[in-house]
């Protein structure tokens, strides 16, 4: 029996070296025991793996899956990956056989790890240490898998100018504005429990909680209970759920956010006609579930979450913005920040009920640059707009609005698939390939930036006019 002792639970390089040697020396998976240094001397003497006698390459898909799966908390991962590596020698196409139990398990692990990285980015909550010499923040977090080292670059980028530590049971990460240091795992008691930030989170969460969109199962999928105990806002959830029914009834106008059965059927028919892209989402729920895990461009890396559209799945009018801003990225909802206030106000002035329209963005993740602690908006690149059209097109196919309003140049590029100068084309009905009418107008952020008061008033009036026009066209 060959016993391999890896340096740590996440020692991918060590696993790769050992696995190469073992496969090169034709050591069968059943003759190998994988363990981690310091995990107890359960296996007696270690027999070093034989040196490789043969050079071989492995498919890129295998390496990608292995790099992630190795971070999974399951004790079987090293052995499973070696079994796959062994089998690849005689089954080079193995990674493409989705029904193979080893392949399915490894892919499942890789998916679980990628999800855990995402959850860590979304659910770490820092607390201020009152008596530290310098302002310092500490968070306690229990990731589902060993993903701390994969997730911390995100926190370094986002909180570059703060001192912070993230404590977890396996490993702790500490950032002092210049250096990232890892230390062994900690105890929950090492993290502070309450401070003023808790109230901030609770207020913030309660204000973004939308009772009409309450889907308990989906919410628990997105915010699994295992994370609740370290989330200050989680204490509010039972109360908010209980109150949701009453609050929903009180809301002005109901806003069904799911497509009707007719729309779903239509989407499925389109699918059979071949005009519906293979694998494309057929419902708004599928869009919502997919956007968060989208890797069509790199914007997901620095954003908190993907933000999809909101509104009835049968809306006659769709309004498309550019991308979520800072507040939208945190809240996970489109147009809830300053631009959203302007949009709401102009919609009201134009007599367009927001509850009856579908509001979304051309790009679903927040493109920004960090300046100090602030995240400064950056216009999405054309390549990002093009990549994200897949989602906007899916929303368009599902909702099938009669009229689509593009707010600003980025939205126009996404809606029309080519640059449309807003100044020259605003306020007119333009034909779209899918039979809808397109209208381009200003972006609400533009109104916030016009320095001259008279010009601002003119732009505001034009924006109201354009929305009124679009609503009339959609009637
Ligand atoms: N700007 C946009 O274009 N969309 C939002 O959701 C917020 C600000």
């Amino acid at each position: 029996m060959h016993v391999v002792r890896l340096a740590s639970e996440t020692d991918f390089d060590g696993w790769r070296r050992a696995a190469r040697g073992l496969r090169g020396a034709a050591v069968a998976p059943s003759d190998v025991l994988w363990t981690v240094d310091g995990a107890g001397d359960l296996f007696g003497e270690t027999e070093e793996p034989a040196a490789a006698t043969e050079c071989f390459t492995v498919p890129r898909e295998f390496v990608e899956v292995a790099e992630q799966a190795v971070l999974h908390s399951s004790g079987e991962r090293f052995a499973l990956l070696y079994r796959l590596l062994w089998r690849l020698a005689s089954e080079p196409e193995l990674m493409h056989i989705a029904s193979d139990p080893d392949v399915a398990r490894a892919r499942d692990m890789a998916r679980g790890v990628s999800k855990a990285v995402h959850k860590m980015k979304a659910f770490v909550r820092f607390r201020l240490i009152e008596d530290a010499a310098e302002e310092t923040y500490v968070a306690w977090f229990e990731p589902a898998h060993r993903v701390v080292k994969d997730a911390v670059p995100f926190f370094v980028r986002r909180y570059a100018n703060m001192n912070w530590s993230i404590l977890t049971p396996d490993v702790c990460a500490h950032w002092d504005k210049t250096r990232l240091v890892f230390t062994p795992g900690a105890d929950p008691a090492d993290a502070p429990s309450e401070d003023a930030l808790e109230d901030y989170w609770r207020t913030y969460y309660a204000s973004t909680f939308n009772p009409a969109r309450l889907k308990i199962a989906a919410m628990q999928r997105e915010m699994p209970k295992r994370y609740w105990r370290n989330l200050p806002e989680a204490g509010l959830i039972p109360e908010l759920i209980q109150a949701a029914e009453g609050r929903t009834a009180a809301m002005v106008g109901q806003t069904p956010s799911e497509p009707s059965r007719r729309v779903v059927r239509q989407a499925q028919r389109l699918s059979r006609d071949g005009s519906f892209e293979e694998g494309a989402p057929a419902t708004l729920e599928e869009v919502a579930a997919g956007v968060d895990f989208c890797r069509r461009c790199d914007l997901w890396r620095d954003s908190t979450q993907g933000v999809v559209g909101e509104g009835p799945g049968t809306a006659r009018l769709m309004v498309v913005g550019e991308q979520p801003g800072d507040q939208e990225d945190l809240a996970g909802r489109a147009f809830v920040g300053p631009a959203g206030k302007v949009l709401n106000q102009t919609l009201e002035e134009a007599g367009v009920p927001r509850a009856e329209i579908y509001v979304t963005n051309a790009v679903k993740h927040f493109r920004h640059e960090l300046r100090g602690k602030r995240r400064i908006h950056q216009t999405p690149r054309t390549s990002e707009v093009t990549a994200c059209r897949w989602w906007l097109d899916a929303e368009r196919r599902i909702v099938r609005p009669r009229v689509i309003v593009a707010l600003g140049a980025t939205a126009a590029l996404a809606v029309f698939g080519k640059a449309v100068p807003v100044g020259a084309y605003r306020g007119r009905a333009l034909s779209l390939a899918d039979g809808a009418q397109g209208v381009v107008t200003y972006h609400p952020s533009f109104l916030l930036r016009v320095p001259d008061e008279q010009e601002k008033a003119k732009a505001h009036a034009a924006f109201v006019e354009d929305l009124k026009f679009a609503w009339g066209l959609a009637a």
Side-chain angles (χ1 to χ4, degrees):
M1 179 63 68
H2 290 256
V3 180
V4 181
R5 280 181 200 284
L6 298 170
S8 72
E9 295 282 1
T10 54
D11 182 12
F12 180 68
D13 288 340
W15 174 85
R16 184 165 50 188
R17 259 194 318 278
R20 274 192 165 276
L22 289 162
R23 200 186 102 172
V27 180
S30 54
D31 291 335
V32 186
L33 269 174
W34 297 88
T35 180
V36 171
D37 228 4
D41 199 12
L42 296 175
F43 307 109
E45 278 305 295
T46 304
E47 188 183 326
E48 286 301 322
T53 55
E54 176 206 349
C55 261
F56 57 86
T57 54
V58 289
R60 193 170 40 83
E61 299 94 303
F62 171 72
V63 179
E64 283 169 3
V65 168
E67 275 174 344
Q68 291 213 293
V70 113
L71 305 179
H72 199 273
S73 55
S74 156
E76 57 162 325
R77 66 202 183 285
F78 295 123
L80 169 70
L81 292 174
Y82 183 57
R83 199 160 59 243
L84 278 173
L85 181 72
W86 175 262
R87 291 181 56 197
L88 278 167
S90 55
E91 302 169 73
E93 292 305 313
L94 179 60
M95 293 308 289
H96 298 293
I97 306 175
S99 58
D100 180 275
D102 284 346
V103 174
R105 178 72 184 125
R107 286 199 185 282
D108 200 44
M109 283 186 187
R111 257 193 310 275
V113 164
S114 148
K115 230 172 167 171
V117 172
H118 175 77
K119 297 290 179 213
M120 181 161 175
K121 289 182 187 174
F123 296 146
V124 161
R125 298 285 183 267
F126 287 104
R127 288 154 170 142
L128 183 63
I129 305 280
E130 291 293 353
D131 49 1
E134 255 198 287
E135 200 170 85
T136 301
Y137 293 85
V138 176
W140 170 257
F141 191 71
E142 294 168 53
H145 303 291
R146 297 182 176 92
V147 294
V148 174
K149 288 186 182 171
D150 260 34
V152 283
F154 166 83
F155 294 97
V156 169
R157 284 194 297 274
R158 175 165 298 181
Y159 303 112
N161 291 334
M162 288 162 55
N163 297 306
W164 52 256
S165 294
I166 300 175
L167 314 180
T168 83
D170 285 328
V171 63
C172 302
H174 312 269
W175 174 252
D176 66 359
K177 301 181 194 155
T178 49
R179 259 175 355 128
L180 182 63
V181 173
F182 293 99
T183 57
D187 193 85
D190 297 333
S193 56
E194 278 264 336
D195 72 0
L197 290 180
E198 314 283 88
D199 283 341
Y200 166 79
W201 274 109
R202 275 191 281 267
T203 311
Y204 174 74
Y205 185 78
S207 70
T208 59
F209 182 87
N210 182 347
R213 292 187 88 200
L214 176 63
K215 294 193 183 78
I216 297 172
M219 185 170 88
Q220 290 190 0
R221 237 186 353 261
E222 282 308 305
M223 196 198 256
K225 275 195 165 159
R226 69 186 311 280
Y227 298 108
W228 286 20
R229 62 178 171 273
N230 296 310
L231 293 173
E233 67 270 31
L236 291 173
I237 294 173
E239 200 182 306
L240 289 169
I241 288 177
Q242 228 176 22
E245 215 172 281
R247 283 178 63 196
T248 307
M251 280 175 80
V252 185
Q254 283 233 315
T255 57
S257 61
E258 288 177 350
S260 68
R261 282 221 293 274
R262 178 183 62 81
V263 173
V264 173
R265 269 201 310 275
Q266 231 158 22
Q268 283 161 351
R269 225 179 5 254
L270 279 172
S271 175
R272 278 199 292 276
D273 288 345
S275 52
F276 198 84
E277 197 179 334
E278 191 63 26
T283 66
L284 291 177
E285 285 200 330
E286 282 177 28
V287 173
V291 159
D292 224 13
F293 295 98
C294 179
R295 301 291 182 264
R296 287 173 177 263
C297 75
D298 270 347
L299 292 181
W300 64 274
R301 290 183 188 280
D302 290 332
S303 46
T304 310
Q305 57 197 311
V307 178
V308 286
E310 271 185 45
T314 51
R316 286 178 283 152
L317 180 70
M318 176 180 282
V319 171
V320 182
E322 182 198 67
Q323 63 165 359
D326 184 69
Q327 295 193 28
E328 286 81 10
D329 168 81
L330 291 168
R333 298 183 58 203
F335 282 104
V336 291
K341 277 206 188 102
V342 176
L343 179 64
N344 284 346
Q345 189 194 330
T346 35
L347 283 171
E348 205 176 314
E349 286 174 45
V352 183
R354 177 154 173 179
E356 290 182 28
I357 64 172
Y358 187 86
V359 178
T360 189
N361 279 303
V363 171
K364 311 298 191 214
H365 284 99
F366 177 33
R367 177 157 192 257
H368 61 276
E369 153 187 299
L370 260 187
R371 274 193 227 143
K373 286 182 197 167
R374 297 182 57 219
R375 301 191 298 164
I376 308 298
H377 162 275
Q378 293 213 297
T379 304
R381 298 183 185 95
T382 301
S383 60
E384 288 152 354
V385 175
T386 308
C388 216
R389 270 189 92 195
W390 198 77
W391 294 111
L392 179 63
D393 286 350
E395 287 175 302
R396 284 171 65 172
R397 274 190 305 259
I398 296 164
V399 179
R400 294 168 64 84
R402 289 184 196 166
V403 177
I404 304 180
V405 176
L407 305 176
T410 303
L413 173 64
V415 170
F416 291 89
K418 60 180 183 197
V420 179
V422 175
Y425 286 90
R426 59 150 282 271
R428 312 194 208 156
L430 307 165
S431 297
L432 286 162
D434 61 1
Q437 302 280 324
V439 174
V440 294
T441 186
Y442 299 125
H443 189 283
S445 301
F446 168 71
L447 303 187
L448 289 168
R449 287 196 308 265
V450 181
D452 180 85
E453 282 309 316
Q454 247 182 344
E455 287 302 310
K456 191 190 281 257
K458 243 167 78 183
H460 182 93
F463 188 29
V464 174
E465 265 324 292
D466 294 347
L467 291 174
K468 214 185 266 179
F469 170 72
W471 186 237
L473 208 56

